Structures are given as C-alpha cells and as structure tokens.
C-alpha cells in the first residue's frame, strides 16, 4: 500500500492482508528515518486483538472483496 492507502485503511479500520495472512486492521503507521531515508511501516492488529505485527508498508494489501 502507498502511504495514502495506509492512512485510509487506518481510519476505516478495514481488514488488510500481509503475505497471505489477514489482519483485523492497520492500528498504526510508523515513520522512521534510517541513513537519511524515510521508511514507512505499518502496525497490524491480529484477528483476536491480542498482538500486533510490524511490517513494511508496501507489502500490506487490501483484502479482496467477496464476489457474490
């Protein structure tokens, strides 16, 4: 996801995917500067609400819509 897409997902609390695993939502966006470059990571809440996973923002995807 782009930075703008991560922000939208953060506010909407929509489910997201990372490497084939579905997460409840993006619970935070983390900006870090390392060696003069900006790195955007996302904090993803698990489905049970007991833990979070920090991942590279570009590897987060929207959950595909169910087609009925």
């Amino acid at each position: 996801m782009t930075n703008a897409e991560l922000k939208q997902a953060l506010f909407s609390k929509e489910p997201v995917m990372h490497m084939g695993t579905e997460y409840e939502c993006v619970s935070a966006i983390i900006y870090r500067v390392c060696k003069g470059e900006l790195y955007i990571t996302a904090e993803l809440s698990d489905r049970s609400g007991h833990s979070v996973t920090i991942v590279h923002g570009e590897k987060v995807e929207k959950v595909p819509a169910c087609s009925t």
Side-chain angles (χ1 to χ4, degrees):
M1 291 183 146
T2 65
N3 187 33
E5 291 170 328
L6 284 170
K7 286 180 183 179
Q8 181 181 2
L10 175 67
F11 282 102
S12 70
K13 296 292 185 188
E14 63 192 28
V16 294
M17 298 277 293
H18 177 262
M19 297 182 67
T21 302
E22 188 172 331
Y23 290 86
E24 180 77 21
C25 64
V26 175
S27 52
I29 301 170
I30 305 162
Y31 299 94
R32 292 187 172 93
V33 176
C34 183
K35 298 180 184 180
E37 292 196 38
L38 180 65
Y39 288 92
I40 301 171
T41 55
E43 179 185 276
L44 308 179
S45 294
D46 74 349
R47 308 278 287 144
S48 65
H50 295 286
S51 67
V52 296
T53 303
I54 308 298
V55 301
H56 196 287
E58 290 180 355
K59 296 189 177 193
V60 178
E61 303 171 347
K62 291 183 179 183
V63 173
C66 296
S67 54
T68 54

